[in-house]
């Protein structure tokens, strides 16, 4: 039984070194899709993984679900990096108890609703992207089979994510799966003599299946991924940029990450102007990469991009042509037990929030009604690593305040959140007294305590009605070290 979260700690780094005594030559590994049932020892209770780099355009995971249904496998554990609406075939398998346990960093769509309604037999484990790498590489979960959606494979079975008609750019979340799974099946629609760079070495691959298509690359663009045009959102972005400017962190060597939400991307746009004006060159920008960060790289504002997944087709195109647009694994990105993890080197991260409470705890996992609608992704990883974790949000949306006295679900603990920027003012974690004084003395930004901002929200919305959830636990939210942050409850 995992322990409850009791604060952010120093972690002892692990030495990860995996190999597999397999041939490279693809000729002995190629099979047809219908043959996989004979080649792989499928059994009730097995654990299978897949990754989400094709996001809502993924066809491969649904091929797996068809096999599970056809064989009527029971008590299957799925270890997914993320689950999107395109994976709605899982709902039937969950209700039939073919799939009874799920690990994921993010879940949206019908699968999320199904879990919130209590259909999954065992509680879902919701963790961060860095934690998933930890779970796999530390072998806290034994992986029987990894299914790798592979945009390009060469004659030596080497896998690459940035070539082929279904290129998704990079396969950062799949590296750990390939390293530790007993069997690795690569499914591709593109085989070449030699890939330009090897992401997953061919000796880790047991079988290769060529199909007509592994996905719709246009589905990679899921969610916002565009700068907001809302004047209020742009105001928030300008003020967040001013916080960065006066934080003391914006200087040569600066490192940065932003989410793909409209306001978060607008912050990147504002930051670009400031870096050009002040002639500042950063060291790296990281995470899920969008075309806005590519633009900053190509304007010589950063030395390199560190990319674990491409959020749009501009990033997919960039990673093919820019030698300084670098691919990285999820472990190198955010595994707290990996000495090379780069989130610990971040200066500033811009993040969103569904809710934030008076202790700065943030919820991006559930709606205010307790329904699963997302998950940490890299939220808690980057907030823990960055020197300054900034939340950007409207204070009130649809008559609902982003600030609560207590968030419905804790995704990211408040001790790792530093600043909340809203359209009505800015709240700064009291541990940053120097920053508070600096902003008050040198800018015209409206600085409040979070309690004062909360009261402003209540003046606009009145005190919200408490939601009612059942006592039945349907999920466990884990911190990046495996301790329990919170529980998810069945909706009424």
């Amino acid at each position: 039984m995992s322990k409850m979260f009791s604060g952010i700690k120093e972690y002892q780094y692990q030495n990860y070194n995996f190999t597999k005594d397999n041939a490279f030559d693809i000729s002995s590994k190629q099979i047809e899709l219908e043959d996989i049932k004979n080649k792989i020892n499928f059994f009730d209770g097995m654990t299978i993984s897949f990754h989400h780099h094709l996001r809502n355009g993924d066809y491969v995971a649904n091929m797996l679900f068809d096999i599970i249904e056809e064989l009527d496998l029971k008590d299957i554990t799925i270890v997914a990096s993320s689950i999107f609406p395109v994976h709605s075939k899982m709902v039937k398998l969950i209700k039939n108890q073919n799939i009874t346990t799920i690990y994921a960093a993010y879940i949206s769509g019908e699968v999320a609703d199904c879990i919130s309604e209590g259909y999954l037999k065992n509680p879902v484990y919701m963790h961060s992207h860095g934690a998933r790498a930890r779970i796999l590489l530390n072998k806290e979960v034994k992986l029987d089979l990894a299914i790798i959606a592979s945009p390009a494979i060469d004659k030596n079975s080497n896998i690459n994510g940035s070539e082929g008609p279904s290129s998704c750019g990079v396969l950062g979340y799949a590296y750990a799966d390939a390293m530790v799974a007993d069997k690795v099946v690569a499914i591709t629609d593109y085989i070449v003599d030699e890939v330009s760079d090897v992401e997953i070495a061919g000796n880790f691959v047991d079988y290769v299946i060529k199909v007509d298509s592994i996905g719709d690359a246009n589905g990679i663009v899921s969610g916002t991924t565009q700068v907001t045009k809302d004047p209020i959102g742009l105001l928030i972005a300008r003020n967040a940029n001013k916080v960065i400017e006066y934080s003391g962190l914006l200087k040569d060597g600066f490192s940065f990450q932003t989410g793909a939400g409209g306001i978060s991307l607008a912050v990147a746009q504002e930051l670009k102007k400031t870096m050009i004006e002040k002639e500042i060159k950063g060291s790296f920008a990281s995470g899920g990469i969008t075309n806005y960060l590519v633009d900053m790289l190509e304007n010589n504002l950063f030395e390199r991009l560190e990319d674990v997944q491409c959020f749009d087709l501009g990033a997919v195109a960039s990673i093919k042509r820019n030698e300084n647009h670098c691919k990285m694994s999820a472990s190198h990105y955010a595994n707290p037990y990996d000495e090379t993890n780069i989130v610990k080197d971040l200066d500033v991260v811009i993040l969103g929030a569904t809710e934030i409470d008076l202790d700065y705890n943030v919820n991006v996992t559930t709606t205010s009604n307790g329904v699963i609608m997302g998950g940490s992704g890299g939220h808690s990883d980057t907030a823990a690593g960055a020197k300054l974790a900034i939340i950007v949000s409207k204070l009130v949306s649809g008559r609902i305040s982003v600030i609560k006295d207590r968030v419905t679900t804790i995704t990211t603990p408040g001790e790792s959140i530093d600043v909340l920027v809203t359209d009505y003012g800015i709240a700064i974690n009291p541990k940053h007294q120097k920053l508070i004084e600096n902003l008050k003395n040198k800018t015209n930004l409206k600085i409040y305590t979070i309690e004062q901002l909360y009261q402003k929200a209540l003046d606009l919305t009145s005190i919200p009605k408490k939601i009612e959830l059942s006592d039945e636990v349907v999920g466990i939210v884990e911190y990046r070290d495996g301790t329990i942050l919170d529980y998810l409850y069945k909706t009424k």
Side-chain angles (χ1 to χ4, degrees):
M1 181 68 181
S2 299
K3 296 178 180 177
M4 293 301 294
F5 175 78
S6 61
I8 299 173
K9 298 179 173 60
E10 296 289 329
Y11 303 112
Q12 186 169 2
Y13 295 130
Q14 307 290 312
N15 181 23
Y16 299 118
N17 185 18
F18 298 95
T19 188
K20 197 168 184 177
D21 188 18
N22 253 0
F24 281 85
D25 186 357
I26 195 173
S27 60
S28 62
K29 302 179 182 180
Q30 267 194 276
I31 61 173
E32 299 297 322
L33 181 60
E34 54 267 27
D35 292 335
I36 189 175
K37 298 187 287 291
N38 301 319
K39 295 292 185 180
I40 296 293
N41 176 32
F42 285 98
F43 58 91
D44 292 345
M46 73 187 299
T47 299
I48 308 174
S49 76
F50 67 87
H51 62 101
H52 75 282
H53 293 88
L54 286 163
R55 295 166 67 83
N56 210 37
D58 177 32
Y59 295 166
V60 171
N62 286 334
M63 298 175 194
L64 167 68
F65 302 146
D66 287 341
I67 293 168
I68 292 172
E69 182 176 16
E70 183 181 336
L71 296 177
D72 195 25
L73 298 170
K74 296 294 186 185
D75 292 323
I76 298 299
T77 294
I78 293 292
V79 181
S81 48
S82 293
I83 295 171
F84 283 86
V86 73
H87 301 129
S88 61
K89 279 188 177 182
M90 289 180 74
V91 171
K92 181 180 178 182
L93 300 177
I94 289 169
K95 290 183 176 179
N96 287 339
Q97 296 198 357
N98 302 105
I99 294 171
T100 52
T101 304
I102 295 174
Y103 291 76
Y106 178 96
I107 306 176
S108 63
E110 291 182 46
V111 176
D113 294 342
C114 172
I115 295 170
S116 291
E117 290 164 6
Y119 287 104
L120 186 67
K121 179 181 177 183
N122 302 314
V124 62
Y125 290 91
M126 301 288 294
H127 46 66
S128 69
H129 286 321
R132 182 178 188 271
R134 185 209 80 231
I135 289 167
L136 292 178
L137 296 177
N138 288 1
K139 298 191 175 180
E140 296 169 31
V141 173
K142 180 182 178 300
L143 203 55
D144 298 305
L145 172 64
I147 302 292
I148 312 289
S150 308
I153 299 180
D154 69 16
K155 298 295 184 184
N156 286 319
S157 316
N158 298 313
I159 302 175
N160 172 302
S162 54
E163 298 174 45
S166 306
S167 171
C168 56
V170 58
L171 299 171
Y173 299 120
Y175 295 179
D177 307 44
M179 301 301 112
V180 302
D182 284 350
K183 294 294 180 185
V184 174
V185 175
I187 300 182
T188 188
D189 52 13
Y190 188 68
I191 297 177
V192 292
D193 287 342
E194 186 176 3
V195 294
S196 58
D197 67 317
V198 177
E199 292 188 57
I200 296 173
N203 61 318
F204 285 101
V205 178
D206 294 286
Y207 295 104
V208 174
I209 298 173
K210 189 170 187 299
V211 296
D212 291 339
S213 177
I214 63 169
D216 175 6
N218 291 314
I220 292 172
V221 186
S222 307
T224 315
T225 68
Q226 297 290 325
V227 168
T228 183
K229 295 180 180 177
D230 179 359
I232 295 174
L234 294 173
L235 169 69
I236 295 168
R238 286 195 295 275
N239 288 342
N241 181 57
K242 193 165 286 187
V243 172
I244 297 171
E245 190 178 347
Y246 284 86
S247 68
L249 297 169
L250 187 58
K251 52 192 176 187
D252 284 343
F254 173 72
S255 55
F256 177 68
Q257 181 165 330
T258 184
I263 299 175
S264 298
L265 292 175
V267 177
Q269 199 171 56
E270 292 297 321
L271 180 65
K272 174 186 172 184
K273 298 175 193 170
T274 304
M275 292 178 74
I276 291 173
E277 179 186 333
K278 294 182 177 295
E279 298 183 345
I280 291 170
K281 182 166 184 174
S283 54
F284 71 89
S286 61
I289 298 297
T290 63
N291 205 32
Y292 297 95
L293 291 177
V294 171
D295 180 55
M296 295 177 80
L297 174 71
E298 293 182 343
N299 276 278
N300 210 29
L301 298 178
F302 288 105
E303 293 174 1
R304 69 187 193 280
L305 300 181
E306 295 279 0
D307 193 343
V308 70
Q309 67 169 323
C310 294
F311 275 147
D312 58 32
L313 298 181
V316 172
S318 164
I319 209 165
K320 293 177 187 174
R321 69 173 184 267
N322 280 317
E323 63 178 352
N324 294 324
H325 187 160
C326 308
K327 300 175 178 180
M328 67 174 169
S329 71
S331 186
H332 177 48
Y333 170 41
N335 176 1
Y337 292 89
D338 187 332
E339 188 174 10
T340 71
N341 82 80
I342 64 156
V343 296
K344 63 179 169 46
D345 299 323
L346 275 173
D347 286 320
V348 174
V349 63
I350 305 295
L351 297 164
T354 306
E355 299 175 324
I356 181 169
D357 68 21
L358 300 179
D359 293 320
Y360 287 87
N361 297 306
V362 170
N363 173 24
V364 291
T365 302
T366 62
T367 66
S368 294
N369 291 325
V371 179
I372 299 169
M373 44 66 70
S376 177
H379 201 287
S380 61
D381 294 319
T382 52
K387 295 182 181 70
L388 200 65
I390 300 175
I391 302 295
V392 289
S393 174
K394 291 182 180 178
L395 183 63
V396 174
S397 296
R399 297 197 58 77
I400 298 175
S401 168
V402 71
I403 304 177
K404 310 288 183 183
D405 57 349
R406 173 76 162 82
V407 291
T408 307
T409 305
I410 299 176
T411 307
T412 298
E415 68 178 277
S416 61
I417 300 298
D418 302 297
V419 181
L420 167 66
V421 181
T422 76
D423 44 334
Y424 279 77
I426 295 170
I428 300 174
N429 193 318
K431 67 183 180 181
H432 292 294
Q433 285 303 312
K434 185 176 178 182
L435 178 61
I436 292 170
E437 294 303 317
N438 207 27
L439 293 174
K440 282 183 174 178
N441 293 335
K442 296 181 179 177
T443 74
N444 59 358
L445 295 173
K446 297 173 182 175
I447 309 299
Y448 300 102
T449 66
I450 198 164
E451 290 81 5
Q452 288 172 322
L453 270 184
Y454 180 48
Q455 187 56 54
K456 287 180 178 292
L458 292 183
D459 292 343
L460 296 168
T461 65
S462 71
I463 297 175
K465 184 180 177 183
K466 293 286 185 186
I467 62 163
E468 292 186 10
L469 297 169
S470 78
D471 295 330
E472 183 179 339
V473 173
V474 298
I476 298 169
V477 181
E478 291 188 342
Y479 192 55
R480 53 204 304 255
D481 60 5
T483 57
I484 298 172
L485 277 170
D486 212 340
Y487 293 95
L488 306 175
Y489 295 93
K490 181 180 176 181
T491 52
K492 286 188 174 179

